[in-house]
Amino acid sequence: MLLTKDKDFYRTFWRLFFMIVLQNAIVLSVNLADNLMIGGYSETALAGVAAVNSLQFLFQQLTIGIGDALVTMGSQYWGQGRTAPIKQIGKAALLASALLGVLLFVLTSLFPYQIVGLFSETAEIVEMGVQYLSIVRWTYLLFAVSSTLLSLLRTVEIVRISTIVSAVALVTNCSINYLLIEGNLGAPELGVRGAAIGTLIARTLELCIILAYYVFIDKRLRVRKDDLLKTDFSLFRDYFKHCLYFVMVSFIFGSSVALQNVILGNLSDSAIAANSIASTLFQMLKVMAVGAASATGIIIGKTVGKGDMQKLREYVRTFQCIFLCISLVTGVTLFIIRSFILNFYDLSPETYAMAKNFLLVLCITGMGTAYQMPVNIGIVRGGGDSKFVFINDLISIWGVVLPLSFLGAFVFNWDPTIVLFCLNSDQLFKCVAAAIKANRYKWVKKLTRETANAD
């Protein structure tokens, strides 16, 4: 049998998929709103914010890695119907993400010009970036805690609250951006600082809503004071050991994106703005791959926790067919809308043409992303093998992509579009490794501890 006939599988997957896609789309819409509104204000301001967002992207990837490790472990316990261990590993994840948020806040407070200067040598762009960073740095701890708390809920298949929280944040951020970037309706014109204030208020509101949900609404985890006071150190050790590869993969990917901006930023200022626009738009469509990976990870983890190998094999075959369909939709959609979206920006002809070429590259490489990401992240890592994903990314990104791109940019002086293709080429050749690995089933690993506290 190629595809599973389990109706509950399809109901669960598509419910999780659409809610996670919607939530991620709304989250990214906050960044897109900043891009569109700041892009309409000034191209220099857009480049400055893009420089800061390169660092912020790395931070968000690390935070997401911490949350994904939580979901992978927790979903296996959820498959066994045990929530007490989930709350313990959730506490470990919160500790890790909070420390990360505090560390980034301290670094950006002490070395703002040096950090922004890594992504651009133009004084005006660096100044704009520092103005934005001076306010947005206060959001780092808020985002770290909110993201991890939402991951904890996703472990037990609660995803709707994430969508609601993100929608409120989007409306709040856009409204404040409208008032403060250009000084509409009598508000002061604050430019990039206005955009940062919008993000700060939105992140604060996000966390307040999430905490209210845990206190007044949640019925599955039922976090109480005793859960916060008692600590199972064996589960803490399990989590941090498991989390290590997730964080390393997130660092590899996040730092590669940051280095991508360094490479393109040193080619020209137009390349910075074009890449910011193209990558932000692509991220909006990439949410389908992210949603598929997240939903798959929950289902695979839950199935591994139950120990049902027959179902697992059916699900893996079905998932891969779904991913191929998502891949086609991603590439075609981005190709169709690329010119329409670019018309909303106030760009020089050179930047417009470059952004259009960048999007064409992402149409092609994005199709690979939509297959390999859900397979590697959802199936392989969701089934317990995080080491393979780490090795795969380490070789692909640091062994092939970045060295080739550096040579192309600084030795051979290739066109920025070719350099961008090199930077994203791993999304294509990683598909081969993903397909081979997924269909061998050596990635199935039990992560649960039978002696862990039971409910």
Side-chain angles (χ1 to χ4, degrees):
M1 183 187 299
L2 179 61
L3 302 180
T4 183
K5 294 184 179 179
D6 185 350
K7 293 182 179 179
D8 185 58
F9 163 84
Y10 292 106
R11 281 194 298 268
T12 302
F13 174 75
W14 290 115
R15 176 179 62 84
L16 292 172
F17 172 77
F18 284 118
M19 293 303 294
I20 293 172
V21 165
L22 181 58
Q23 185 249 332
N24 279 282
I26 295 171
V27 168
L28 287 170
S29 294
V30 174
N31 293 334
L32 182 60
D34 279 351
N35 256 261
L36 286 170
M37 292 179 171
I38 295 171
Y41 179 72
S42 139
E43 192 170 313
T44 302
L46 175 62
V49 172
V52 175
N53 284 342
S54 298
L55 173 69
Q56 193 161 300
F57 179 80
L58 173 58
F59 164 65
Q60 289 176 345
Q61 289 303 306
L62 292 173
T63 305
I64 289 169
I66 290 169
D68 285 348
L70 167 60
V71 172
T72 303
M73 279 192 73
S75 60
Q76 291 198 13
Y77 281 111
W78 180 240
Q80 299 171 357
R82 302 161 66 194
T83 58
I86 296 174
K87 287 183 277 190
Q88 287 297 308
I89 60 177
K91 189 163 66 171
L94 270 174
L95 176 62
S97 61
L99 288 174
L100 180 63
V102 171
L103 175 62
L104 185 60
F105 174 83
V106 171
L107 289 175
T108 52
S109 298
L110 295 175
F111 310 106
Y113 283 94
Q114 293 89 334
I115 289 173
V116 178
L118 292 173
F119 304 100
S120 177
E121 296 179 350
T122 305
E124 293 83 358
I125 292 176
V126 172
E127 185 59 40
M128 285 287 186
V130 170
Q131 288 183 29
Y132 183 74
L133 181 61
S134 66
I135 297 171
V136 84
R137 63 194 168 103
W138 295 95
T139 69
Y140 295 151
L141 179 59
L142 300 175
F143 174 82
V145 173
S146 295
S147 178
T148 307
L149 288 174
L150 290 175
S151 294
L152 182 57
L153 291 173
R154 198 163 71 243
T155 298
V156 293
E157 299 180 62
I158 297 174
V159 292
R160 185 174 298 176
I161 181 62
S162 300
T163 306
I164 295 171
V165 166
S166 301
V168 171
L170 173 63
V171 172
T172 303
N173 190 60
C174 287
S175 300
I176 296 173
N177 280 357
Y178 175 76
L179 292 173
L180 297 182
I181 290 178
E182 297 191 35
N184 291 308
L185 302 179
E189 180 181 338
L190 299 178
V192 293
R193 288 179 296 157
I197 290 170
T199 302
L200 175 58
I201 294 174
R203 294 299 187 209
T204 303
L205 191 56
E206 271 183 346
L207 182 57
C208 290
I209 295 172
I210 295 167
L211 291 174
Y213 181 89
Y214 270 94
V215 173
F216 300 109
I217 300 175
D218 171 51
K219 301 298 181 185
R220 292 190 184 179
L221 286 171
R222 297 179 181 274
V223 178
R224 298 293 181 262
K225 183 171 68 174
D226 288 346
D227 297 313
L228 301 175
L229 295 177
K230 68 179 180 180
T231 298
D232 188 328
F233 289 104
S234 63
L235 287 172
F236 264 53
R237 285 192 296 269
D238 287 350
Y239 171 76
F240 284 116
K241 180 180 177 181
H242 179 61
C243 180
L244 180 62
Y245 285 118
F246 284 77
V247 172
M248 287 193 293
V249 167
S250 295
F251 178 78
I252 288 170
F253 176 67
S255 60
S256 72
V257 172
L259 285 173
Q260 171 178 313
N261 289 327
V262 171
I263 293 170
L264 294 172
N266 280 277
L267 294 179
S268 72
D269 290 344
S270 293
I272 299 177
N275 184 55
S276 174
I277 295 165
S279 60
T280 301
L281 180 56
F282 173 66
Q283 292 296 326
M284 290 297 297
L285 286 174
K286 186 182 171 184
V287 294
M288 289 192 286
V290 173
S294 297
T296 300
I298 294 169
I299 295 172
I300 291 291
K302 188 176 178 180
T303 308
V304 170
K306 290 179 178 179
D308 192 338
M309 282 302 297
Q310 181 180 343
K311 284 287 185 185
L312 189 66
R313 291 178 181 273
E314 287 182 17
Y315 291 172
V316 168
R317 291 192 294 267
T318 305
F319 275 135
Q320 291 181 80
C321 292
I322 293 172
F323 301 157
L324 289 173
C325 294
I326 293 173
S327 172
L328 183 62
V329 171
T330 300
V332 172
T333 302
L334 185 58
F335 180 80
I336 292 172
I337 68 172
R338 72 191 198 287
S339 296
F340 173 75
I341 296 295
L342 288 177
N343 289 329
F344 284 95
Y345 288 90
D346 180 20
L347 303 173
S348 66
E350 180 186 0
T351 303
Y352 180 91
M354 193 177 293
K356 194 170 183 180
N357 288 336
F358 281 8
L359 285 169
L360 186 59
V361 168
L362 294 175
C363 288
I364 299 168
T365 60
M367 295 179 70
T369 303
Y371 172 77
Q372 70 85 14
M373 175 184 280
V375 171
N376 282 323
I377 302 300
I379 295 176
V380 176
R381 197 166 74 175
D385 190 352
S386 56
K387 185 176 181 180
F388 170 78
V389 178
F390 165 67
I391 294 172
N392 191 27
D393 278 5
L394 183 64
I395 294 172
S396 299
I397 296 173
W398 287 91
V400 180
V401 168
L402 289 177
L404 179 62
S405 302
F406 269 105
L407 288 172
F410 302 119
V411 177
F412 302 120
N413 296 315
W414 287 342
D415 183 272
T417 302
I418 298 175
V419 174
L420 183 76
F421 180 80
C422 292
L423 286 165
N424 289 276
S425 59
D426 63 311
Q427 300 302 311
L428 299 177
F429 61 74
K430 279 198 293 192
C431 291
V432 178
I436 294 172
K437 181 68 176 182
N439 292 292
R440 286 183 175 175
Y441 295 94
K442 293 181 180 180
W443 42 266
V444 179
K445 300 181 186 298
K446 270 283 186 79
L447 302 175
T448 55
R449 180 185 287 267
E450 298 302 326
T451 57
N453 293 334
D455 288 271

mmCIF file of all heavy atoms in Angstrom, residues 175-191 194 197:
data_model
loop_
_atom_site.group_PDB
_atom_site.id
_atom_site.type_symbol
_atom_site.label_atom_id
_atom_site.label_comp_id
_atom_site.label_asym_id
_atom_site.label_seq_id
_atom_site.Cartn_x
_atom_site.Cartn_y
_atom_site.Cartn_z
ATOM 1 N N SER A 175 -0.603 48.540 12.907
ATOM 2 C CA SER A 175 -1.250 49.784 13.329
ATOM 3 C C SER A 175 -0.218 50.786 13.857
ATOM 4 O O SER A 175 -0.253 51.974 13.496
ATOM 5 C CB SER A 175 -2.289 49.491 14.423
ATOM 6 O OG SER A 175 -3.287 48.608 13.939
ATOM 7 N N ILE A 176 0.689 50.297 14.684
ATOM 8 C CA ILE A 176 1.694 51.199 15.251
ATOM 9 C C ILE A 176 2.685 51.638 14.179
ATOM 10 O O ILE A 176 3.135 52.793 14.160
ATOM 11 C CB ILE A 176 2.402 50.520 16.439
ATOM 12 C CG1 ILE A 176 1.380 50.260 17.552
ATOM 13 C CG2 ILE A 176 3.544 51.393 16.968
ATOM 14 C CD1 ILE A 176 1.897 49.448 18.699
ATOM 15 N N ASN A 177 3.032 50.739 13.271
ATOM 16 C CA ASN A 177 3.895 51.112 12.144
ATOM 17 C C ASN A 177 3.288 52.256 11.339
ATOM 18 O O ASN A 177 3.969 53.212 10.957
ATOM 19 C CB ASN A 177 4.123 49.921 11.210
ATOM 20 C CG ASN A 177 5.184 48.969 11.733
ATOM 21 O OD1 ASN A 177 5.788 49.216 12.768
ATOM 22 N ND2 ASN A 177 5.412 47.897 11.012
ATOM 23 N N TYR A 178 1.999 52.129 11.070
ATOM 24 C CA TYR A 178 1.307 53.151 10.278
ATOM 25 C C TYR A 178 1.387 54.513 10.967
ATOM 26 O O TYR A 178 1.584 55.547 10.319
ATOM 27 C CB TYR A 178 -0.148 52.754 10.068
ATOM 28 C CG TYR A 178 -0.976 53.808 9.365
ATOM 29 C CD1 TYR A 178 -0.856 54.009 7.992
ATOM 30 C CD2 TYR A 178 -1.856 54.624 10.085
ATOM 31 C CE1 TYR A 178 -1.592 54.993 7.346
ATOM 32 C CE2 TYR A 178 -2.593 55.600 9.456
ATOM 33 C CZ TYR A 178 -2.458 55.778 8.076
ATOM 34 O OH TYR A 178 -3.195 56.760 7.449
ATOM 35 N N LEU A 179 1.261 54.495 12.284
ATOM 36 C CA LEU A 179 1.276 55.754 13.023
ATOM 37 C C LEU A 179 2.677 56.347 13.142
ATOM 38 O O LEU A 179 2.862 57.561 12.961
ATOM 39 C CB LEU A 179 0.708 55.530 14.426
ATOM 40 C CG LEU A 179 -0.787 55.202 14.534
ATOM 41 C CD1 LEU A 179 -1.132 54.850 15.970
ATOM 42 C CD2 LEU A 179 -1.635 56.374 14.048
ATOM 43 N N LEU A 180 3.660 55.506 13.427
ATOM 44 C CA LEU A 180 4.955 56.025 13.870
ATOM 45 C C LEU A 180 6.061 56.053 12.824
ATOM 46 O O LEU A 180 7.022 56.805 12.997
ATOM 47 C CB LEU A 180 5.445 55.204 15.083
ATOM 48 C CG LEU A 180 4.569 55.262 16.343
ATOM 49 C CD1 LEU A 180 5.194 54.450 17.465
ATOM 50 C CD2 LEU A 180 4.352 56.704 16.789
ATOM 51 N N ILE A 181 5.975 55.266 11.764
ATOM 52 C CA ILE A 181 7.068 55.291 10.786
ATOM 53 C C ILE A 181 7.091 56.629 10.045
ATOM 54 O O ILE A 181 8.116 57.318 9.974
ATOM 55 C CB ILE A 181 6.965 54.120 9.791
ATOM 56 C CG1 ILE A 181 7.265 52.798 10.508
ATOM 57 C CG2 ILE A 181 7.964 54.307 8.644
ATOM 58 C CD1 ILE A 181 7.141 51.572 9.625
ATOM 59 N N GLU A 182 5.937 57.009 9.511
ATOM 60 C CA GLU A 182 5.876 58.263 8.747
ATOM 61 C C GLU A 182 5.127 59.369 9.474
ATOM 62 O O GLU A 182 4.948 60.455 8.936
ATOM 63 C CB GLU A 182 5.241 58.006 7.381
ATOM 64 C CG GLU A 182 6.068 57.054 6.507
ATOM 65 C CD GLU A 182 5.575 57.010 5.070
ATOM 66 O OE1 GLU A 182 5.128 58.061 4.558
ATOM 67 O OE2 GLU A 182 5.642 55.945 4.462
ATOM 68 N N GLY A 183 4.650 59.100 10.695
ATOM 69 C CA GLY A 183 3.979 60.127 11.482
ATOM 70 C C GLY A 183 2.570 60.424 11.010
ATOM 71 O O GLY A 183 2.185 61.597 10.890
ATOM 72 N N ASN A 184 1.782 59.380 10.752
ATOM 73 C CA ASN A 184 0.397 59.577 10.314
ATOM 74 C C ASN A 184 -0.524 59.897 11.485
ATOM 75 O O ASN A 184 -0.232 59.582 12.643
ATOM 76 C CB ASN A 184 -0.093 58.312 9.594
ATOM 77 C CG ASN A 184 0.590 58.112 8.262
ATOM 78 O OD1 ASN A 184 0.628 59.017 7.418
ATOM 79 N ND2 ASN A 184 1.148 56.933 8.042
ATOM 80 N N LEU A 185 -1.638 60.557 11.179
ATOM 81 C CA LEU A 185 -2.689 60.907 12.148
ATOM 82 C C LEU A 185 -2.147 61.727 13.318
ATOM 83 O O LEU A 185 -2.598 61.589 14.457
ATOM 84 C CB LEU A 185 -3.394 59.647 12.669
ATOM 85 C CG LEU A 185 -4.054 58.746 11.610
ATOM 86 C CD1 LEU A 185 -4.698 57.529 12.265
ATOM 87 C CD2 LEU A 185 -5.099 59.539 10.814
ATOM 88 N N GLY A 186 -1.169 62.555 13.038
ATOM 89 C CA GLY A 186 -0.625 63.440 14.061
ATOM 90 C C GLY A 186 0.417 62.821 14.962
ATOM 91 O O GLY A 186 0.939 63.493 15.860
ATOM 92 N N ALA A 187 0.751 61.553 14.740
ATOM 93 C CA ALA A 187 1.789 60.897 15.553
ATOM 94 C C ALA A 187 3.172 61.376 15.103
ATOM 95 O O ALA A 187 3.341 61.855 13.984
ATOM 96 C CB ALA A 187 1.682 59.383 15.408
ATOM 97 N N PRO A 188 4.179 61.244 15.961
ATOM 98 C CA PRO A 188 5.534 61.675 15.571
ATOM 99 C C PRO A 188 6.124 60.764 14.492
ATOM 100 O O PRO A 188 5.870 59.553 14.486
ATOM 101 C CB PRO A 188 6.331 61.566 16.875
ATOM 102 C CG PRO A 188 5.588 60.563 17.695
ATOM 103 C CD PRO A 188 4.139 60.748 17.353
ATOM 104 N N GLU A 189 6.918 61.336 13.607
ATOM 105 C CA GLU A 189 7.583 60.548 12.562
ATOM 106 C C GLU A 189 8.890 60.001 13.140
ATOM 107 O O GLU A 189 9.856 60.727 13.339
ATOM 108 C CB GLU A 189 7.877 61.424 11.337
ATOM 109 C CG GLU A 189 8.564 60.668 10.207
ATOM 110 C CD GLU A 189 8.877 61.564 9.020
ATOM 111 O OE1 GLU A 189 8.220 62.621 8.867
ATOM 112 O OE2 GLU A 189 9.794 61.214 8.249
ATOM 113 N N LEU A 190 8.912 58.687 13.385
ATOM 114 C CA LEU A 190 10.066 58.071 14.047
ATOM 115 C C LEU A 190 10.856 57.129 13.140
ATOM 116 O O LEU A 190 11.884 56.587 13.567
ATOM 117 C CB LEU A 190 9.602 57.301 15.293
ATOM 118 C CG LEU A 190 8.907 58.139 16.377
ATOM 119 C CD1 LEU A 190 8.460 57.256 17.531
ATOM 120 C CD2 LEU A 190 9.827 59.250 16.870
ATOM 121 N N GLY A 191 10.404 56.879 11.920
ATOM 122 C CA GLY A 191 11.138 56.029 10.990
ATOM 123 C C GLY A 191 11.356 54.631 11.520
ATOM 124 O O GLY A 191 10.424 53.972 11.987
ATOM 125 N N GLY A 194 10.130 53.835 14.972
ATOM 126 C CA GLY A 194 8.690 53.594 15.044
ATOM 127 C C GLY A 194 8.356 52.143 14.745
ATOM 128 O O GLY A 194 7.506 51.535 15.414
ATOM 129 N N ILE A 197 9.290 50.090 17.787
ATOM 130 C CA ILE A 197 8.304 50.246 18.868
ATOM 131 C C ILE A 197 7.090 49.364 18.595
ATOM 132 O O ILE A 197 6.551 48.720 19.507
ATOM 133 C CB ILE A 197 7.897 51.723 19.010
ATOM 134 C CG1 ILE A 197 9.070 52.542 19.568
ATOM 135 C CG2 ILE A 197 6.674 51.872 19.920
ATOM 136 C CD1 ILE A 197 8.845 54.047 19.531
#
